Amino acid sequence: MVQPLNYLKETPSQTAGPYVHIGLAPGAAGFDIYDQELGWDIAGPNAKGERIRVEGIVIDGTGSPIKDVMLEAWQANSEGNYAHPEGGGNVEDGFRGWGRVITDFETGEWGFDTVKPGRTQGRNIGLQAPHINLWIVARGINIGLNTRLYFDDEAQANAEDPVLNIIEWERRRATLLAKRSERDGQVVYRFEIRLQGQDETVFFDI
Amino acid sequence: MTKPGEFYQRDRTWHPPAFAKDYKTSVARSPQYSLISLQNSVSEITGPVFGHNDIDALDNDMIHNYAQPGEAAIGERIIVHGRVLDENGKPVPNTLVEAWQANAGGRYRHKKDTYLAPIDPNFGGCGRTLTDENGYYFFRTVKPGAYPWRNWVNDWRPAHIHMSIFGTAFAQRLITQCYFEGDPLIDKCPIVKTIPDKAAQGQLVAALDMNASVPLDSIAYKFDIILRGRRSTLFENRLEGN
């Protein structure tokens, strides 16, 4: 016999199901119940740095867009600080760095407006490249999927990023790079997430 | 710079796997390559912080938060309450808990839900609250109905409330479902059974809690939620975590 450790077990995950929108993004889904919808404004009005738009789609193993997915974004401000007591430093008033986005129910396309994050402290030494942490839930996804969106115009920072560098297969690192373009004077990054196949997006166990 | 106190590794054998063949929708939506395991950086040990300015006091009362003045949702009046703790047994205070559910007839107020059961004009089906300093939360609602869904031709979901919990870090982010003691549909449900371990399934079944009921008003179910625990950085110059 040994002494029991008495740790509790984490509550098991269950799928968010097809109606996650009424629970977590009711306003975006056309359901007017709360005075304040959480997560619609990631950066707030006072955030410094480059204003960007991020757009994408989540594609299943059959090649079809997932039209009932919900994503949450978590990111640092342009100086690399998260809005959290352990986040590295101060952030602008109104900057939360967290957002929720649901898709167009007809096309599966999603998008959000934010500021481009700065480099953040790495776990040990050095800096992480600018990135947005994403968490993806939907019907058929039994436990939320964690991934990171990096920026394809940050070649030097990406080459030094400790997380990208632990991905053994170099060609898989490209699945985490959002592609920069400009449209009507606005910077748009495109990020397509593939749940299966040769180009399956890298997902992390964080 | 101290290294962050990491969250305990998630026990992926306790959670459902991504691929669960009897929950058919998971088949084309489950990643096939292994997850890449990361040690926590600042990106994982932080997460959004919410306060009382973000929500309204009535948001946790689903009997009334979408009802017309003087009206109430139809159904069996229940209280769902419990604590949010971490794996060390420590309360998680001031964390956002969100809930959504079908009405007493098993119908969601969602444009994609076309089940025969009627919409209740006084029931929205979502609520949210912040845990108090002891990690305690409660919702007042009506017991959701069971409903059929397309998986096998005659699958029925047990009564359930979807729950979303934040904790203090993105690494603790969790969505789950709360079931109710005594429901014979639990053991038949392909979504419940995505969880391999029976004891883990049982962790999602709220217990009838007569002590917390309000006589002549509502009966109560107790549903504690456990988030990942965090280790202390005992060998560094700053204590963090538990």
Side-chain angles (χ1 to χ4, degrees), chain A residues 34-57:
Chain A
Y34 296 137
D35 290 340
Q36 295 185 72
E37 175 103 338
L38 298 176
W40 64 273
D41 185 2
I42 298 175
N46 304 312
K48 290 172 272 188
E50 184 179 31
R51 293 274 163 177
I52 63 172
R53 181 164 179 79
V54 177
E55 294 178 349
I57 195 166

Side-chain angles (χ1 to χ4, degrees), chain B residues 174-191:
Chain B
L174 182 70
I175 282 179
T176 189
Q177 299 182 28
C178 163
Y179 304 98
F180 296 91
E181 179 182 358
D183 187 339
L185 292 171
I186 294 171
D187 286 341
K188 300 183 189 302
C189 178
I191 289 178

Side-chain angles (χ1 to χ4, degrees), chain B residues 7-199:
Chain B
F7 286 86
Y8 302 146
Q9 178 177 299
R10 192 163 243 165
D11 182 355
R12 294 266 171 186
T13 67
W14 191 250
H15 287 283
F19 173 82
K21 68 176 172 53
D22 292 326
Y23 174 26
K24 295 182 183 181
T25 311
S26 77
V27 172
R29 295 185 171 194
S30 43
Q32 295 174 324
Y33 295 129
S34 299
L35 302 176
I36 306 284
S37 294
L38 293 186
Q39 289 186 288
N40 292 168
S41 74
V42 67
S43 300
E44 288 79 35
I45 65 159
T46 57
V49 178
F50 300 97
H52 287 281
N53 291 335
D54 289 312
I55 62 174
D56 293 328
L58 194 62
D59 284 353
N60 69 339
D61 183 353
M62 291 187 251
I63 290 179
H64 296 110
N65 71 2
Y66 199 71
Q68 296 298 313
E71 302 284 318
I74 291 170
E76 183 181 342
R77 296 163 63 88
I78 64 170
I79 291 164
V80 176
H81 77 125
R83 291 205 296 165
V84 180
L85 305 170
D86 70 16
E87 289 170 292
N88 298 316
K90 188 182 166 206
V92 183
N94 201 49
T95 198
L96 184 64
V97 181
E98 296 164 291
W100 70 101
Q101 64 169 88
N103 68 19
R107 174 83 179 265
Y108 287 87
R109 186 179 283 276
H110 189 290
K111 60 184 174 187
K112 298 281 186 189
D113 188 355
T114 56
Y115 180 41
L116 298 169
I119 292 283
D120 176 350
N122 290 305
F123 186 71
C126 64
R128 56 190 183 182
T129 190
L130 290 167
T131 57
D132 72 10
E133 66 276 15
N134 299 312
Y136 182 79
Y137 77 94
F138 75 93
F139 290 99
R140 185 180 283 280
T141 187
V142 295
K143 194 170 180 184
Y147 59 85
W149 61 297
R150 290 180 188 277
N151 188 61
W152 308 110
V153 291
N154 193 25
D155 274 330
W156 291 74
R157 293 303 325 279
H160 63 278
I161 300 177
H162 297 267
M163 297 268 200
S164 158
I165 312 97
F166 280 83
T168 60
F170 219 49
Q172 289 179 302
R173 192 78 181 85
L174 182 70
I175 282 179
T176 189
Q177 299 182 28
C178 163
Y179 304 98
F180 296 91
E181 179 182 358
D183 187 339
L185 292 171
I186 294 171
D187 286 341
K188 300 183 189 302
C189 178
I191 289 178
V192 172
K193 290 196 282 193
T194 61
I195 300 170
D197 189 302
K198 288 294 277 187

Side-chain angles (χ1 to χ4, degrees), chain A residues 116-120 128-132 149-151 154 157-158 161:
Chain A
K116 192 174 181 184
R119 298 184 74 172
T120 50
Q128 305 188 93
H131 66 278
I132 299 176
L149 178 159
Y150 288 84
F151 299 90
E154 295 281 349
N158 290 341
D161 182 80

Side-chain angles (χ1 to χ4, degrees), chain A residues 60-104:
Chain A
D60 73 12
T62 74
S64 307
I66 299 186
K67 298 174 183 177
D68 52 10
V69 73
M70 189 198 80
L71 299 94
E72 288 188 4
W74 174 240
Q75 66 163 87
N77 72 357
S78 62
E79 294 171 335
N81 297 326
Y82 285 96
H84 184 275
E86 296 178 70
N90 294 329
V91 298
E92 300 88 346
D93 190 31
F95 179 89
R96 182 171 266 159
W98 171 78
R100 275 180 174 153
V101 60
I102 64 172
T103 63
D104 181 300

